[in-house]
Amino acid sequence: AETTSPATNIPAMTSSTNVQSSVSEFCVSTGPKPTGSTSRLTSPVGAPKSSKTCHTFRFSEARALIGDLQRPNQKVYWFDFLCSIILGHVTLHAIFWLPVWYGFTPTVVATMGACYVVTVLLYMRALMFIHELVHLPDKGFAAFRIAWNALCGIFFLVPSFLYYPHIDHHRRKHYGTEHDGEYLALSHRGPWMIVGFVVQALIIPFIALLRFALISPACWLFPRLRPFVHRHMSTMLVDPTYERPDASPKLMRIVILQEVLCFAWCVWFLIRGGIMRDTWIDPFWLVAYAVGVGILVLNEVRTLGAHRWTNQGGEMTFEEQLIDSVNFPSRPWITELWGPIGTRYHALHHLFPRLPYHNLGEAHRRLTEGLPADSIYHLTTELSLTSAIVKLWRRSQGSQRNLVS
């Protein structure tokens, strides 16, 4: 379904002035903000009032600490993905078949609940490999890309072409602007925007079904629809106003191939009840919808903690982008469940986008121990997802109070 990567050489979060070889100094004012200030940055916790804290960052120093961790291990990718997706399929079908075989006894219901949680976590882990596909090198991973689409992407109606624009999220001049489809100024939009961001998970499964069961064949029959659909209905995004750039002929061939496979899966999914169970209202739909919503809610909540969402549309500096992103290195026994495949090290990933997920933990340890105490990298860490979301909620509330006043 896919043999190439759209982002073989994504640069790290750097400017065009070769910041790798320079020393950046970043000063955070910790005193009261001047009237009318639009600063997007928060002060380090515990800093004295009315002071200015300066933090140096040497990119070359950070790169030297993790230089030997850049090579992805194919065996890790294959083993992790196959175990996650296959076990997820097993527990998904256990949710459906257990009450059929044994009835709705208390033990069965409890087992179904446990299987539901495990299914959501396993599928979430398998799906997060779509993020790795964008950053993996072309050479050596063609079979893995095809396998991921065949066993996971098509199955969940999230083929890999939907995520190709993710590369814009890593471009320094695009991050947090209208050219970044994965960013919203949630710190400035009000709490209800945060609530809506999570609640939208209830309707996304229907939107996905509509996209591939009806809109895809409409584009095949009426090619004039394709430009609009590609720009506005063909991207996994956070900002609904984002417009995707037009596709090259090569990319469009991949898009159409993956659309055809998703359409075929939609047709089977809708008619399988009539063929297999002699009923056109398939009870498996309810299980699939519940699992899909569970995955989406978990991912939306994870996304809320991935950034601090403080930008208001303008271009951000390298240092501002780094501080706007978050790492969650603590409590791996829980953070790895909601932030799998390296997504709990989001700030580190923005610093080194091509660093494979299985090396992010070691890379973070080296950077934490090896960088100077005044490095801005240390400001990217949050203790827990809950604390990060609470801070986001408070910033959002504060922005609304400022608007009213």
Side-chain angles (χ1 to χ4, degrees):
E2 176 194 0
T3 59
T4 61
S5 167
T8 304
N9 294 306
I10 301 175
M13 188 193 300
T14 59
S15 68
S16 58
T17 57
N18 194 24
V19 74
Q20 292 98 324
S21 59
S22 65
V23 178
S24 299
E25 185 175 82
F26 183 56
C27 297
V28 180
S29 177
T30 60
K33 290 183 182 179
T35 303
S37 170
T38 58
S39 173
R40 298 178 291 253
L41 303 173
T42 57
S43 305
V45 177
K49 293 183 179 180
S50 301
S51 65
K52 179 181 282 188
T53 303
C54 293
H55 305 265
T56 58
F57 186 84
R58 295 176 175 85
F59 192 90
S60 58
E61 182 179 22
R63 186 173 55 186
L65 291 170
I66 57 90
D68 61 324
L69 301 177
Q70 299 281 354
R71 185 183 298 276
N73 187 328
Q74 287 201 44
K75 293 180 180 179
V76 173
Y77 278 79
W78 278 104
F79 182 80
D80 196 344
F81 169 66
L82 289 177
C83 286
S84 298
I85 194 65
I86 292 172
L87 291 175
H89 289 339
V90 170
T91 53
L92 172 71
H93 286 84
I95 297 172
F96 180 80
W97 288 108
L98 281 174
V100 174
W101 293 336
Y102 303 108
F104 284 96
T105 66
T107 301
V108 169
V109 171
T111 305
M112 289 172 62
C115 286
Y116 175 81
V117 172
V118 173
T119 301
V120 167
L121 294 175
L122 287 170
Y123 277 159
M124 173 76 168
R125 187 170 188 86
L127 282 162
M128 282 296 101
F129 278 96
I130 194 174
H131 179 257
E132 289 292 302
L133 295 184
V134 177
H135 298 287
L136 284 172
D138 288 342
K139 185 177 181 180
F141 282 89
F144 184 79
R145 289 187 168 89
I146 294 172
W148 185 89
N149 276 285
L151 298 177
C152 185
I154 305 302
F155 180 75
F156 285 99
L157 301 182
V158 285
S160 56
F161 81 81
L162 294 177
Y163 206 57
Y164 286 179
H166 174 70
I167 60 175
D168 289 332
H169 187 57
H170 286 277
R171 301 189 194 280
R172 193 190 69 78
K173 291 184 177 295
H174 288 182
Y175 176 89
T177 70
E178 69 274 11
H179 302 294
D180 182 0
E182 297 180 31
Y183 199 94
L184 276 176
L186 293 174
S187 287
H188 307 282
R189 295 293 184 91
W192 284 110
M193 178 68 77
I194 298 173
V195 174
F197 185 76
V198 177
V199 172
Q200 67 176 334
L202 295 172
I203 64 171
I204 289 178
F206 300 107
I207 294 174
L209 193 63
L210 177 68
R211 170 62 178 83
F212 292 106
L214 295 178
I215 295 177
S216 287
C219 288
W220 307 336
L221 297 174
F222 306 101
R224 290 185 178 181
L225 295 174
R226 174 63 69 182
F228 179 85
V229 170
H230 185 74
R231 292 181 192 134
H232 300 279
M233 303 180 185
S234 301
T235 308
M236 293 176 63
L237 45 76
V238 173
D239 180 4
T241 66
Y242 171 77
E243 291 190 17
R244 180 174 183 163
D246 292 335
S248 65
K250 179 180 180 181
L251 173 58
M252 190 51 62
R253 288 194 293 270
I254 294 175
V255 169
I256 294 174
L257 173 59
Q258 293 182 1
E259 280 185 339
V260 169
L261 294 173
C262 286
F263 174 75
W265 170 248
C266 287
V267 171
W268 169 247
F269 183 75
L270 293 173
I271 69 173
R272 65 194 297 274
I275 295 176
M276 298 172 63
R277 301 183 183 90
D278 198 26
T279 174
W280 293 107
I281 306 298
D282 190 348
F284 189 77
W285 293 348
L286 181 60
V287 175
Y289 175 75
V291 170
V293 169
I295 297 168
L296 287 164
V297 168
L298 181 59
N299 189 54
E300 305 289 27
V301 172
R302 177 199 65 80
T303 302
L304 290 176
H307 293 287
R308 294 185 168 114
W309 310 102
T310 56
N311 193 36
Q312 299 189 63
E315 184 179 318
M316 303 177 76
T317 67
F318 161 78
E319 295 84 358
E320 288 173 329
Q321 292 180 36
L322 183 58
I323 290 212
D324 195 53
S325 305
V326 183
N327 289 323
F328 296 92
S330 302
R331 303 168 182 168
W333 56 273
I334 186 66
T335 54
E336 189 63 27
L337 295 179
W338 60 256
I341 315 303
T343 53
R344 66 191 181 102
Y345 292 106
H346 206 66
L348 174 55
H349 169 66
H350 272 264
L351 191 58
F352 296 104
R354 286 179 288 172
L355 199 63
Y357 81 94
H358 53 77
N359 286 338
L360 288 174
E362 173 63 16
H364 177 77
R365 184 190 66 79
R366 292 186 189 181
L367 292 175
T368 301
E369 296 176 357
L371 291 175
D374 65 348
S375 172
I376 62 171
Y377 182 76
H378 302 303
L379 302 179
T380 64
T381 298
E382 288 282 356
L383 179 62
S384 69
L385 180 62
T386 302
S387 66
I389 294 177
V390 168
K391 291 176 183 177
L392 172 63
W393 184 271
R394 289 173 178 169
R395 288 195 300 271
S396 179
Q397 287 180 317
S399 69
Q400 295 305 295
R401 285 195 295 267
N402 292 338
L403 287 176
V404 172
S405 60

